[in-house]
Amino acid sequence: MIELEFLRLGVTGKELGWRTLRALAEADGRIDEQGLDGLIARAERQMNTLEELRVRAVREMLLTG
């Protein structure tokens, strides 16, 4: 559980960084908007996977005591 929470924190921080850069990309043509969109989408997929793993771990922990 603890490891999954740390991973979630890391992915959340990464996603927020990509979103900040994405907002800046609208004013700065040097920043690749499509690349950032892909990174944001990947972070969202990672969060979904981590959430599934977290729910599974909680379920196992509660059922096995």
Side-chain angles (χ1 to χ4, degrees), residues 15-38:
E15 181 182 3
L16 292 173
W18 299 143
R19 289 185 182 281
T20 299
L21 286 173
R22 182 62 175 86
L24 294 172
E26 295 173 11
D28 188 336
R30 298 174 296 172
I31 301 173
D32 178 13
E33 295 178 41
Q34 290 180 351
L36 289 168
D37 289 342

Side-chain angles (χ1 to χ4, degrees), residues 13-63:
K14 181 173 61 173
E15 181 182 3
L16 292 173
W18 299 143
R19 289 185 182 281
T20 299
L21 286 173
R22 182 62 175 86
L24 294 172
E26 295 173 11
D28 188 336
R30 298 174 296 172
I31 301 173
D32 178 13
E33 295 178 41
Q34 290 180 351
L36 289 168
D37 289 342
L39 291 169
I40 291 167
R42 183 169 62 180
E44 290 171 348
R45 289 190 305 273
Q46 290 170 343
M47 286 298 291
N48 289 336
T49 299
L50 287 168
E51 179 60 14
E52 290 172 14
L53 292 171
R54 188 189 69 77
V55 168
R56 191 179 313 161
V58 167
R59 200 174 285 143
E60 284 180 23
M61 202 167 68
L62 292 175
L63 293 176

